[in-house]
Amino acid sequence: MEEKGISQAVISRLPRYYRYLGELKDEGVERISSQELSELMNVTASQIRQDFNNFGGFGQQGYGYNVNYLYTEIGKILGLDKSHHLVIIGAGNLGQALANYVNFERRGFIVKGVFDINPDLFGKDLRGIKVQPLDNVVEFVKQNNIDIAVLTIPKNGAVDITQQLVKYGVKAILNFAHVDLEVPEGVIVENVHLSDSLMKLSYNINHYKKK
Amino acid sequence: MEEKGISQAVISRLPRYYRYLGELKDEGVERISSQELSELMNVTASQIRQDFNNFGGFGQQGYGYNVNYLYTEIGKILGLDKSHHLVIIGAGNLGQALANYVNFERRGFIVKGVFDINPDLFGKDLRGIKVQPLDNVVEFVKQNNIDIAVLTIPKNGAVDITQQLVKYGVKAILNFAHVDLEVPEGVIVENVHLSDSLMKLSYNINHYKKK
DNA sequence: TAGATTGTTAATCGATTAACAATC
DNA sequence: TAGATTGTTAATCGATTAACAATC
């Protein structure tokens, strides 16, 4: 089961498989073939089988895949069977939106702290968590075993705080700031650049003709 | 200049080029070679030249690229020289965050209306735009030449409203709902699935070893 | 002109799809 | 057993990188 060198293209597809399998599970579907799943998801059956086989054989010839089992296994691959402690840095609308989004918690992403530089926000309660001054974050990260930092602050602040965060053990950053963060080897950055998404949309509005 | 069949891989890189070129421009840099840009951005010079050449020759042998010119041209390719009218559907924290994000406006993405089903939010002012009842949206889209809808509502609502929106002329959807939207040919959907990003992060925390 | 650097073709690499033998 | 469907190898396709001739 110790896989390695899986491409990010494959990893990027796992959450979508996970979502579809979760829905099938909720509908009470017990088994599914790569062919059926391929029609549902609009991808090739071949790709589905290749993707799953990167992690070992989850299916059975002549039968297909057990939905429940496959769902659980993909969850494990994604690390959703373990919980992750995260801090949100920036308690503006976006930070608050994320702090309030209860579904993350369901997947094991536990918001432990929310920080901001704006004193007006200090003490504001977000689902039981009070916004703290940003100055507290380093100490907080040290003491609370924080894996993930979510950056919802402007880019200058994001660059500065990143240095501190990785120094004190943050392993991954979900970055909403519109800047490329420099991090040491082994620290993961996932960028969510909303303006980039809008620009792609804009391009495609003008150029997209047929599928 | 009429390009076609540009791959989405290339398009996805354009906003990042645009950002770096904008910064160089602001710093007063006049010209840059693909080699210099490649070091700055951590991509190959070859890829940069290939990417730009999809759209025609923006550079000059022996000189490199004029930063200002290239910046402007990429902006045009992305359609940022034209403005887009958008509506935000869902005025929760995320919808408000986007409505308040002034930088979108700078790039020509003009928020024309914000809608919600929650009466408590009706009339709430977001940078001069008042939240309206969702029931108004179809009429509003018809009359205000709306290109883009941003969906920041839960998935059931998103699926339902999408049918209406595309019927009345919306050409593109920025979808934050955790569901795959079905749209007719020619309508663009760009998904921003934040929980997928967190899952990728989670996977990589556990598996990433070396670059 | 000589040097630099693009534009572009060719080579490589990786990801996707097709095919089919293994096997439940 | 026969039929179905996976696991996996082989073929194809597309994207990235390398190389270099064109040219400023």
Side-chain angles (χ1 to χ4, degrees), chain A residues 3 16 20 78 180 202 207, chain B residues 3 20 78 180 202 207:
Chain A
E3 73 281 353
R16 188 157 178 264
Y20 274 85
L78 286 168
D180 294 325
S202 169
H207 297 84
Chain B
E3 73 281 354
Y20 274 84
L78 287 169
D180 293 326
S202 170
H207 297 86

Side-chain angles (χ1 to χ4, degrees), chain A:
Chain A
M1 190 58 75
E2 197 39 57
E3 73 281 353
K4 68 179 167 102
I6 312 290
S7 80
Q8 288 297 309
V10 175
I11 306 311
S12 298
R13 286 192 291 266
L14 294 181
R16 188 157 178 264
Y17 290 130
Y18 190 71
R19 174 156 52 87
Y20 274 85
L21 289 164
E23 284 165 10
L24 288 165
K25 186 172 78 87
D26 291 346
E27 289 163 16
V29 177
E30 250 180 44
R31 51 175 274 201
I32 194 159
S33 69
S34 58
Q35 181 58 36
E36 291 168 301
L37 193 56
S38 95
E39 283 158 20
L40 201 59
M41 295 184 64
N42 262 306
V43 296
T44 64
S46 201
Q47 180 166 76
I48 290 174
R49 294 202 298 279
Q50 287 278 18
D51 282 350
F52 293 167
N53 257 74
N54 280 303
F55 307 97
F58 296 140
Q60 197 168 61
Q61 283 100 327
Y63 171 87
Y65 299 89
N66 178 287
V67 170
N68 234 303
Y69 175 66
L70 187 55
Y71 175 78
T72 308
E73 289 302 310
I74 293 181
K76 281 188 207 163
I77 291 164
L78 286 168
L80 305 180
D81 54 335
K82 308 188 187 84
S83 65
H84 296 284
H85 294 176
L86 58 86
V87 290
I88 294 174
I89 301 187
N93 283 120
L94 184 54
Q96 290 186 32
L98 296 168
N100 283 320
Y101 193 51
V102 76
N103 276 347
F104 293 157
E105 218 99 322
R106 273 200 11 231
R107 301 281 181 240
F109 299 98
I110 320 279
V111 179
K112 299 295 260 187
V114 181
F115 300 84
D116 206 291
I117 47 165
N118 179 359
D120 294 350
L121 293 168
F122 297 167
K124 173 154 189 175
D125 191 285
L126 304 169
R127 292 198 302 118
I129 292 159
K130 293 211 192 322
V131 177
Q132 298 182 54
L134 184 58
D135 289 342
N136 293 1
V137 76
V138 167
E139 195 57 31
F140 189 91
V141 161
K142 271 199 244 182
Q143 301 195 337
N144 289 272
N145 196 23
I146 301 298
D147 305 301
I148 300 176
V150 179
L151 302 187
T152 52
I153 49 174
K155 58 184 177 179
N156 293 332
V159 171
D160 296 343
I161 201 72
T162 294
Q163 305 310 314
Q164 299 286 314
L165 293 170
V166 297
K167 193 161 150 191
Y168 295 106
V170 166
K171 298 203 266 304
I173 294 174
L174 184 61
N175 176 40
F176 288 82
H178 205 208
V179 64
D180 294 325
L181 299 174
E182 307 238 341
V183 295
E185 278 275 325
V187 174
I188 321 296
V189 176
E190 179 83 21
N191 293 304
V192 181
H193 292 332
L194 300 178
S195 54
D196 290 12
S197 301
L198 272 177
M199 289 183 196
K200 271 173 75 182
L201 217 51
S202 169
Y203 175 89
N204 284 316
I205 288 174
N206 293 321
H207 297 84
Y208 195 85
K209 297 289 144 61
K210 307 210 158 297
K211 175 131 190 243

